[in-house]
Amino acid sequence: MAQSAGSGWRGSRPTGGSSAHRPARRPGASRSCLPHERVDVSVAQTVIALARGLDLQVVAEGVETPEQQQWLLHHGCHLLQGYLLARPMPLNECEMFLERLAADAVS
C-alpha cells in the first residue's frame, strides 16, 4: 500500500493525484496488521522490512495503544496515526492542534 504526497493507495484503492518531484512513498500498515497475533506480527514485520529494502517509510494506521506504538517504533516504523495520537476532529480544531504541536516542537 504505497502512499505519496497527494497520491497513492488507501487499502486496495488508489487515492489519485500526482506530483512533479519524486514524492516520499509510504507503505501503510493498517490496524489489521498491527501485532495482536503471530500472523499479524509476521505481516507487520514483512511490510516494514519491504519498505526498508525499497528505501521507503512506513505509516502505521490505527495505532491505539502504547504497546502498539512501542512495538512499531522498535521495529523501525516511525510514522504513526491513530486514536493514541489524536482523535478525528473538524478542520478548525485540527489546525489549532497542529499549531500547538508545532509550537511545542520549537520550544
Side-chain angles (χ1 to χ4, degrees), residues 35-57:
H36 296 292
E37 298 177 11
R38 188 171 156 255
V39 171
D40 295 336
V41 169
S42 295
V43 169
Q45 288 174 327
T46 301
V47 169
I48 293 168
L50 178 62
R52 281 186 178 165
L54 295 171
D55 197 27
L56 303 173
Q57 295 177 312

Side-chain angles (χ1 to χ4, degrees), residues 6-73:
S7 67
W9 292 83
R10 175 138 174 86
S12 60
R13 297 179 301 246
T15 60
S18 65
S19 179
H21 67 286
R22 182 176 174 204
R25 296 180 302 165
R26 297 181 180 108
S30 69
R31 181 177 347 184
S32 62
C33 293
L34 295 178
H36 296 292
E37 298 177 11
R38 188 171 156 255
V39 171
D40 295 336
V41 169
S42 295
V43 169
Q45 288 174 327
T46 301
V47 169
I48 293 168
L50 178 62
R52 281 186 178 165
L54 295 171
D55 197 27
L56 303 173
Q57 295 177 312
V58 177
V59 177
E61 300 174 340
V63 180
E64 296 180 354
T65 68
E67 294 78 19
Q68 290 172 331
Q69 178 185 32
Q70 289 305 311
W71 188 94
L72 289 159
L73 294 172

Side-chain angles (χ1 to χ4, degrees), residues 79-92:
L79 299 174
L80 313 174
Q81 75 177 54
Y83 281 180
L84 178 66
L85 306 169
R87 301 276 183 189
M89 60 188 83
L91 179 60
N92 63 332

Side-chain angles (χ1 to χ4, degrees), residues 95-107:
E95 290 169 340
M96 290 186 295
F97 174 79
L98 293 173
E99 288 172 6
R100 282 193 310 268
L101 195 61
D104 289 346
V106 172
S107 58

